Amino acid sequence: MKKLSLVLILFATLGANAQTKKPAEKKSTVTIIDHGDFGVDEVENKKAEYEIYDSNPSLNFIIAKSGRRYALVEYTTKKQLTRFIFEEVGDINKSNLLPVTMNLKKGMIDTKGRIVVPCVYDNLHAITVAEQTRYIAERNGRQGVLSERNEVLIPFHYSAITPLSKNNPHLVVKQNKRSGLLNTVTNKMILPVQYENIYYIKDGIAQVYKDNRHSLFNTNTQLLFATGYWRMDVYNFQHCIVQLGLKKGLIDITGKVIIPVEYDELTASASKDRSVIFFIGKKQEKYGAMSHTGQVLRPFEYDYLHSPTEEIVM
C-alpha cells in the first residue's frame, strides 16, 4: 500500500510540473531569398532561414544571426548584403553607420553592408564634434582620430586620447606620460603635450598641472591664467582653494581672488541643506568663517571653529 502511495505522489508531482512548465519562446527568423554573390551560408548546414538579431524597417535592414556570426540582410527583398563574417554588430549611430567586429578588429559599415571604416582597429570610440561624428581609434597601441569616412584627422601618435568633457570639441592627448589639449574643429594643439594632468571644470575652463604648479586654462580664449599655485582644490565647480607656500586663499574659476592667499588653514563647508557654501579659515592662531563672496560670517577670534551655526551662515 505504501509503494502505491509513493507512485501516485510521484505521478502527481510530474503532472504539476508539466502544467507549470512554460513553452520556450520561438525566436524570430528570416528566410533569405537572394544570397547574391555570397552563396548559402555553411554554418547552419546550408539553411536559408536565420535568426533575426535586430531589424530596422525604416532603414531597410535586418541583422541576421548564423551560429556566432552576423550578416546584414535587406528588409524588403530579403537579399543578403554581407557574408556572415561579423562577431559583433552594434547599435546604429546618428550617421546611420553600424559598428562591427571582424576577426577581433573594429570597423564601421553602412546600412547597405558596405565597409566605411575597415575592420583593422583594436578599439573604435565614436564622439560628436560640431554635430559631426569622429572616431577615436586605436591600432598597435597608438591612438588617433578618424572622420566617419576613415580619413585620418589626428595621426596615430598618442598613447591615449579622451574627450575633455561631454559635447566638448577638445581632446586630452597623452604621450610619454604627458598631456596636451587638441581642438578637433581646427585639428590643432592649443596646449602642448607638457602637462601632467588636465581636468575640466565647466564653462570651457580646465585645471592644468605642470612642474608642481597648478593653473587654469580657458579653452575658448586659449589663455592660461591663475598660474603658479602649489595646490588647487575645486569646489562646487565654481571656486578653488589655492595655496602658495604655506598660505591659502580662494579664487573663482575666472581667476578672481575672493579670499586673499594669507590664511594658514582654509577649508570648505556647507549648510545643512548644502545650499550655502562657506569657508572656515585660520589666521594668526584664530579661526573665523567667510562666505563664498569673501564676506566675514564669524570674526577671527575663536580658538577652534568646527562649523558656523545655521543662522550665521544664512
PDB file of all heavy atoms in Angstrom, residues 26-32 44 48-54 62-67 69-71 73 84:
ATOM      1  N   LYS A  26       9.661  31.149 -29.157  1.00  0.00           N
ATOM      2  CA  LYS A  26      10.164  30.926 -30.505  1.00  0.00           C
ATOM      3  C   LYS A  26      10.859  32.185 -31.007  1.00  0.00           C
ATOM      4  O   LYS A  26      10.312  33.280 -30.938  1.00  0.00           O
ATOM      5  CB  LYS A  26       9.008  30.568 -31.448  1.00  0.00           C
ATOM      6  CG  LYS A  26       9.491  30.154 -32.829  1.00  0.00           C
ATOM      7  CD  LYS A  26       8.332  29.730 -33.711  1.00  0.00           C
ATOM      8  CE  LYS A  26       8.825  29.315 -35.084  1.00  0.00           C
ATOM      9  NZ  LYS A  26       7.705  28.926 -35.974  1.00  0.00           N
ATOM     10  N   LYS A  27      12.081  32.022 -31.458  1.00  0.00           N
ATOM     11  CA  LYS A  27      12.843  33.157 -31.952  1.00  0.00           C
ATOM     12  C   LYS A  27      12.380  33.563 -33.343  1.00  0.00           C
ATOM     13  O   LYS A  27      12.026  32.724 -34.157  1.00  0.00           O
ATOM     14  CB  LYS A  27      14.334  32.808 -31.978  1.00  0.00           C
ATOM     15  CG  LYS A  27      14.911  32.546 -30.595  1.00  0.00           C
ATOM     16  CD  LYS A  27      16.381  32.190 -30.670  1.00  0.00           C
ATOM     17  CE  LYS A  27      16.948  31.954 -29.270  1.00  0.00           C
ATOM     18  NZ  LYS A  27      18.379  31.567 -29.311  1.00  0.00           N
ATOM     19  N   SER A  28      12.398  34.882 -33.572  1.00  0.00           N
ATOM     20  CA  SER A  28      12.028  35.388 -34.897  1.00  0.00           C
ATOM     21  C   SER A  28      13.099  34.979 -35.907  1.00  0.00           C
ATOM     22  O   SER A  28      14.290  34.981 -35.602  1.00  0.00           O
ATOM     23  CB  SER A  28      11.900  36.906 -34.866  1.00  0.00           C
ATOM     24  OG  SER A  28      10.902  37.294 -33.958  1.00  0.00           O
ATOM     25  N   THR A  29      12.660  34.629 -37.088  1.00  0.00           N
ATOM     26  CA  THR A  29      13.596  34.202 -38.128  1.00  0.00           C
ATOM     27  C   THR A  29      13.321  34.946 -39.424  1.00  0.00           C
ATOM     28  O   THR A  29      12.258  35.531 -39.609  1.00  0.00           O
ATOM     29  CB  THR A  29      13.496  32.684 -38.389  1.00  0.00           C
ATOM     30  OG1 THR A  29      12.157  32.374 -38.807  1.00  0.00           O
ATOM     31  CG2 THR A  29      13.853  31.890 -37.154  1.00  0.00           C
ATOM     32  N   VAL A  30      14.300  34.905 -40.307  1.00  0.00           N
ATOM     33  CA  VAL A  30      14.157  35.485 -41.631  1.00  0.00           C
ATOM     34  C   VAL A  30      14.631  34.460 -42.655  1.00  0.00           C
ATOM     35  O   VAL A  30      15.627  33.765 -42.434  1.00  0.00           O
ATOM     36  CB  VAL A  30      14.979  36.792 -41.763  1.00  0.00           C
ATOM     37  CG1 VAL A  30      16.438  36.582 -41.462  1.00  0.00           C
ATOM     38  CG2 VAL A  30      14.805  37.415 -43.150  1.00  0.00           C
ATOM     39  N   THR A  31      13.918  34.349 -43.738  1.00  0.00           N
ATOM     40  CA  THR A  31      14.333  33.481 -44.838  1.00  0.00           C
ATOM     41  C   THR A  31      14.981  34.332 -45.910  1.00  0.00           C
ATOM     42  O   THR A  31      14.336  35.218 -46.490  1.00  0.00           O
ATOM     43  CB  THR A  31      13.121  32.736 -45.437  1.00  0.00           C
ATOM     44  OG1 THR A  31      12.524  31.947 -44.417  1.00  0.00           O
ATOM     45  CG2 THR A  31      13.570  31.832 -46.582  1.00  0.00           C
ATOM     46  N   ILE A  32      16.263  34.094 -46.121  1.00  0.00           N
ATOM     47  CA  ILE A  32      16.993  34.850 -47.130  1.00  0.00           C
ATOM     48  C   ILE A  32      16.606  34.319 -48.511  1.00  0.00           C
ATOM     49  O   ILE A  32      16.829  33.148 -48.826  1.00  0.00           O
ATOM     50  CB  ILE A  32      18.514  34.762 -46.910  1.00  0.00           C
ATOM     51  CG1 ILE A  32      18.874  35.432 -45.575  1.00  0.00           C
ATOM     52  CG2 ILE A  32      19.272  35.425 -48.053  1.00  0.00           C
ATOM     53  CD1 ILE A  32      20.336  35.374 -45.231  1.00  0.00           C
ATOM     54  N   GLU A  44      25.029  26.997 -40.779  1.00  0.00           N
ATOM     55  CA  GLU A  44      23.753  26.390 -40.423  1.00  0.00           C
ATOM     56  C   GLU A  44      23.376  25.262 -41.392  1.00  0.00           C
ATOM     57  O   GLU A  44      22.203  25.062 -41.693  1.00  0.00           O
ATOM     58  CB  GLU A  44      22.655  27.467 -40.418  1.00  0.00           C
ATOM     59  CG  GLU A  44      22.783  28.475 -39.302  1.00  0.00           C
ATOM     60  CD  GLU A  44      22.400  27.884 -37.952  1.00  0.00           C
ATOM     61  OE1 GLU A  44      21.369  27.178 -37.895  1.00  0.00           O
ATOM     62  OE2 GLU A  44      23.127  28.100 -36.979  1.00  0.00           O
ATOM     63  N   ALA A  48      18.450  28.311 -45.361  1.00  0.00           N
ATOM     64  CA  ALA A  48      18.213  29.674 -45.835  1.00  0.00           C
ATOM     65  C   ALA A  48      17.491  30.495 -44.777  1.00  0.00           C
ATOM     66  O   ALA A  48      17.262  31.673 -44.966  1.00  0.00           O
ATOM     67  CB  ALA A  48      17.404  29.651 -47.117  1.00  0.00           C
ATOM     68  N   GLU A  49      17.104  29.874 -43.646  1.00  0.00           N
ATOM     69  CA  GLU A  49      16.372  30.569 -42.603  1.00  0.00           C
ATOM     70  C   GLU A  49      17.309  30.869 -41.437  1.00  0.00           C
ATOM     71  O   GLU A  49      18.011  29.996 -40.952  1.00  0.00           O
ATOM     72  CB  GLU A  49      15.188  29.709 -42.129  1.00  0.00           C
ATOM     73  CG  GLU A  49      14.230  30.464 -41.214  1.00  0.00           C
ATOM     74  CD  GLU A  49      13.012  29.629 -40.867  1.00  0.00           C
ATOM     75  OE1 GLU A  49      13.079  28.882 -39.872  1.00  0.00           O
ATOM     76  OE2 GLU A  49      11.999  29.728 -41.590  1.00  0.00           O
ATOM     77  N   TYR A  50      17.285  32.124 -40.988  1.00  0.00           N
ATOM     78  CA  TYR A  50      18.240  32.555 -39.962  1.00  0.00           C
ATOM     79  C   TYR A  50      17.518  33.319 -38.866  1.00  0.00           C
ATOM     80  O   TYR A  50      16.472  33.938 -39.096  1.00  0.00           O
ATOM     81  CB  TYR A  50      19.319  33.449 -40.584  1.00  0.00           C
ATOM     82  CG  TYR A  50      20.097  32.760 -41.669  1.00  0.00           C
ATOM     83  CD1 TYR A  50      19.686  32.856 -42.999  1.00  0.00           C
ATOM     84  CD2 TYR A  50      21.217  31.997 -41.378  1.00  0.00           C
ATOM     85  CE1 TYR A  50      20.383  32.212 -44.008  1.00  0.00           C
ATOM     86  CE2 TYR A  50      21.932  31.355 -42.377  1.00  0.00           C
ATOM     87  CZ  TYR A  50      21.508  31.457 -43.696  1.00  0.00           C
ATOM     88  OH  TYR A  50      22.195  30.818 -44.686  1.00  0.00           O
ATOM     89  N   GLU A  51      18.104  33.313 -37.686  1.00  0.00           N
ATOM     90  CA  GLU A  51      17.560  34.058 -36.556  1.00  0.00           C
ATOM     91  C   GLU A  51      17.726  35.558 -36.798  1.00  0.00           C
ATOM     92  O   GLU A  51      18.763  36.010 -37.292  1.00  0.00           O
ATOM     93  CB  GLU A  51      18.297  33.657 -35.273  1.00  0.00           C
ATOM     94  CG  GLU A  51      17.829  34.404 -34.035  1.00  0.00           C
ATOM     95  CD  GLU A  51      18.682  34.103 -32.816  1.00  0.00           C
ATOM     96  OE1 GLU A  51      19.362  33.047 -32.802  1.00  0.00           O
ATOM     97  OE2 GLU A  51      18.679  34.936 -31.894  1.00  0.00           O
ATOM     98  N   ILE A  52      16.704  36.331 -36.445  1.00  0.00           N
ATOM     99  CA  ILE A  52      16.783  37.781 -36.524  1.00  0.00           C
ATOM    100  C   ILE A  52      17.340  38.317 -35.209  1.00  0.00           C
ATOM    101  O   ILE A  52      16.712  38.173 -34.152  1.00  0.00           O
ATOM    102  CB  ILE A  52      15.411  38.413 -36.809  1.00  0.00           C
ATOM    103  CG1 ILE A  52      14.914  38.011 -38.203  1.00  0.00           C
ATOM    104  CG2 ILE A  52      15.486  39.946 -36.707  1.00  0.00           C
ATOM    105  CD1 ILE A  52      13.526  38.546 -38.527  1.00  0.00           C
ATOM    106  N   TYR A  53      18.500  38.909 -35.253  1.00  0.00           N
ATOM    107  CA  TYR A  53      19.107  39.516 -34.067  1.00  0.00           C
ATOM    108  C   TYR A  53      18.512  40.904 -33.819  1.00  0.00           C
ATOM    109  O   TYR A  53      18.226  41.277 -32.698  1.00  0.00           O
ATOM    110  CB  TYR A  53      20.625  39.602 -34.252  1.00  0.00           C
ATOM    111  CG  TYR A  53      21.349  40.330 -33.155  1.00  0.00           C
ATOM    112  CD1 TYR A  53      21.507  39.748 -31.899  1.00  0.00           C
ATOM    113  CD2 TYR A  53      21.864  41.608 -33.367  1.00  0.00           C
ATOM    114  CE1 TYR A  53      22.166  40.413 -30.883  1.00  0.00           C
ATOM    115  CE2 TYR A  53      22.525  42.287 -32.345  1.00  0.00           C
ATOM    116  CZ  TYR A  53      22.678  41.684 -31.111  1.00  0.00           C
ATOM    117  OH  TYR A  53      23.326  42.360 -30.111  1.00  0.00           O
ATOM    118  N   ASP A  54      18.313  41.666 -34.890  1.00  0.00           N
ATOM    119  CA  ASP A  54      17.721  43.003 -34.805  1.00  0.00           C
ATOM    120  C   ASP A  54      17.214  43.382 -36.189  1.00  0.00           C
ATOM    121  O   ASP A  54      17.643  42.817 -37.192  1.00  0.00           O
ATOM    122  CB  ASP A  54      18.758  44.026 -34.322  1.00  0.00           C
ATOM    123  CG  ASP A  54      18.113  45.308 -33.816  1.00  0.00           C
ATOM    124  OD1 ASP A  54      16.874  45.374 -33.766  1.00  0.00           O
ATOM    125  OD2 ASP A  54      18.858  46.240 -33.456  1.00  0.00           O
ATOM    126  N   ILE A  62      18.034  44.168 -41.846  1.00  0.00           N
ATOM    127  CA  ILE A  62      17.914  43.174 -40.778  1.00  0.00           C
ATOM    128  C   ILE A  62      19.312  42.707 -40.420  1.00  0.00           C
ATOM    129  O   ILE A  62      20.155  42.508 -41.307  1.00  0.00           O
ATOM    130  CB  ILE A  62      17.064  41.964 -41.245  1.00  0.00           C
ATOM    131  CG1 ILE A  62      15.619  42.372 -41.499  1.00  0.00           C
ATOM    132  CG2 ILE A  62      17.115  40.822 -40.215  1.00  0.00           C
ATOM    133  CD1 ILE A  62      14.791  41.292 -42.183  1.00  0.00           C
ATOM    134  N   ILE A  63      19.574  42.534 -39.136  1.00  0.00           N
ATOM    135  CA  ILE A  63      20.805  41.875 -38.695  1.00  0.00           C
ATOM    136  C   ILE A  63      20.444  40.420 -38.431  1.00  0.00           C
ATOM    137  O   ILE A  63      19.667  40.120 -37.515  1.00  0.00           O
ATOM    138  CB  ILE A  63      21.391  42.539 -37.434  1.00  0.00           C
ATOM    139  CG1 ILE A  63      21.690  44.016 -37.695  1.00  0.00           C
ATOM    140  CG2 ILE A  63      22.658  41.813 -36.988  1.00  0.00           C
ATOM    141  CD1 ILE A  63      22.105  44.780 -36.449  1.00  0.00           C
ATOM    142  N   ALA A  64      20.939  39.536 -39.274  1.00  0.00           N
ATOM    143  CA  ALA A  64      20.648  38.110 -39.148  1.00  0.00           C
ATOM    144  C   ALA A  64      21.804  37.403 -38.452  1.00  0.00           C
ATOM    145  O   ALA A  64      22.966  37.814 -38.565  1.00  0.00           O
ATOM    146  CB  ALA A  64      20.403  37.495 -40.522  1.00  0.00           C
ATOM    147  N   LYS A  65      21.486  36.329 -37.728  1.00  0.00           N
ATOM    148  CA  LYS A  65      22.493  35.596 -36.962  1.00  0.00           C
ATOM    149  C   LYS A  65      22.559  34.145 -37.434  1.00  0.00           C
ATOM    150  O   LYS A  65      21.538  33.492 -37.624  1.00  0.00           O
ATOM    151  CB  LYS A  65      22.155  35.638 -35.474  1.00  0.00           C
ATOM    152  CG  LYS A  65      23.204  34.989 -34.579  1.00  0.00           C
ATOM    153  CD  LYS A  65      22.815  35.106 -33.112  1.00  0.00           C
ATOM    154  CE  LYS A  65      23.894  34.482 -32.221  1.00  0.00           C
ATOM    155  NZ  LYS A  65      23.497  34.543 -30.787  1.00  0.00           N
ATOM    156  N   SER A  66      23.780  33.673 -37.620  1.00  0.00           N
ATOM    157  CA  SER A  66      24.006  32.277 -38.009  1.00  0.00           C
ATOM    158  C   SER A  66      25.132  31.744 -37.136  1.00  0.00           C
ATOM    159  O   SER A  66      26.286  32.136 -37.289  1.00  0.00           O
ATOM    160  CB  SER A  66      24.407  32.185 -39.489  1.00  0.00           C
ATOM    161  OG  SER A  66      24.704  30.851 -39.844  1.00  0.00           O
ATOM    162  N   GLY A  67      24.780  30.880 -36.182  1.00  0.00           N
ATOM    163  CA  GLY A  67      25.785  30.420 -35.230  1.00  0.00           C
ATOM    164  C   GLY A  67      26.265  31.585 -34.390  1.00  0.00           C
ATOM    165  O   GLY A  67      25.476  32.240 -33.706  1.00  0.00           O
ATOM    166  N   ARG A  69      27.952  34.191 -35.826  1.00  0.00           N
ATOM    167  CA  ARG A  69      28.287  35.235 -36.778  1.00  0.00           C
ATOM    168  C   ARG A  69      27.025  35.971 -37.232  1.00  0.00           C
ATOM    169  O   ARG A  69      25.915  35.435 -37.195  1.00  0.00           O
ATOM    170  CB  ARG A  69      29.005  34.644 -38.006  1.00  0.00           C
ATOM    171  CG  ARG A  69      30.368  34.043 -37.703  1.00  0.00           C
ATOM    172  CD  ARG A  69      31.384  35.126 -37.377  1.00  0.00           C
ATOM    173  NE  ARG A  69      32.729  34.593 -37.227  1.00  0.00           N
ATOM    174  CZ  ARG A  69      33.238  34.164 -36.082  1.00  0.00           C
ATOM    175  NH1 ARG A  69      32.480  34.176 -34.995  1.00  0.00           N
ATOM    176  NH2 ARG A  69      34.472  33.717 -36.010  1.00  0.00           N
ATOM    177  N   TYR A  70      27.237  37.230 -37.669  1.00  0.00           N
ATOM    178  CA  TYR A  70      26.138  38.091 -38.074  1.00  0.00           C
ATOM    179  C   TYR A  70      26.345  38.576 -39.500  1.00  0.00           C
ATOM    180  O   TYR A  70      27.485  38.680 -39.978  1.00  0.00           O
ATOM    181  CB  TYR A  70      26.031  39.303 -37.143  1.00  0.00           C
ATOM    182  CG  TYR A  70      25.798  38.942 -35.705  1.00  0.00           C
ATOM    183  CD1 TYR A  70      26.883  38.692 -34.854  1.00  0.00           C
ATOM    184  CD2 TYR A  70      24.516  38.841 -35.181  1.00  0.00           C
ATOM    185  CE1 TYR A  70      26.680  38.353 -33.527  1.00  0.00           C
ATOM    186  CE2 TYR A  70      24.310  38.510 -33.854  1.00  0.00           C
ATOM    187  CZ  TYR A  70      25.399  38.264 -33.030  1.00  0.00           C
ATOM    188  OH  TYR A  70      25.192  37.924 -31.716  1.00  0.00           O
ATOM    189  N   ALA A  71      25.215  38.877 -40.163  1.00  0.00           N
ATOM    190  CA  ALA A  71      25.245  39.447 -41.517  1.00  0.00           C
ATOM    191  C   ALA A  71      24.113  40.452 -41.640  1.00  0.00           C
ATOM    192  O   ALA A  71      23.178  40.474 -40.833  1.00  0.00           O
ATOM    193  CB  ALA A  71      25.107  38.358 -42.573  1.00  0.00           C
ATOM    194  N   VAL A  73      20.980  41.893 -43.939  1.00  0.00           N
ATOM    195  CA  VAL A  73      20.011  41.450 -44.941  1.00  0.00           C
ATOM    196  C   VAL A  73      19.078  42.623 -45.233  1.00  0.00           C
ATOM    197  O   VAL A  73      18.678  43.355 -44.325  1.00  0.00           O
ATOM    198  CB  VAL A  73      19.194  40.241 -44.427  1.00  0.00           C
ATOM    199  CG1 VAL A  73      18.123  39.834 -45.437  1.00  0.00           C
ATOM    200  CG2 VAL A  73      20.121  39.071 -44.117  1.00  0.00           C
ATOM    201  N   PHE A  84      28.205  36.203 -43.510  1.00  0.00           N
ATOM    202  CA  PHE A  84      28.121  36.021 -42.059  1.00  0.00           C
ATOM    203  C   PHE A  84      29.550  36.015 -41.499  1.00  0.00           C
ATOM    204  O   PHE A  84      30.117  34.971 -41.182  1.00  0.00           O
ATOM    205  CB  PHE A  84      27.385  34.716 -41.722  1.00  0.00           C
ATOM    206  CG  PHE A  84      25.893  34.819 -41.868  1.00  0.00           C
ATOM    207  CD1 PHE A  84      25.287  34.610 -43.101  1.00  0.00           C
ATOM    208  CD2 PHE A  84      25.099  35.144 -40.783  1.00  0.00           C
ATOM    209  CE1 PHE A  84      23.914  34.708 -43.251  1.00  0.00           C
ATOM    210  CE2 PHE A  84      23.718  35.250 -40.919  1.00  0.00           C
ATOM    211  CZ  PHE A  84      23.119  35.035 -42.156  1.00  0.00           C
TER     212      PHE A  84
END
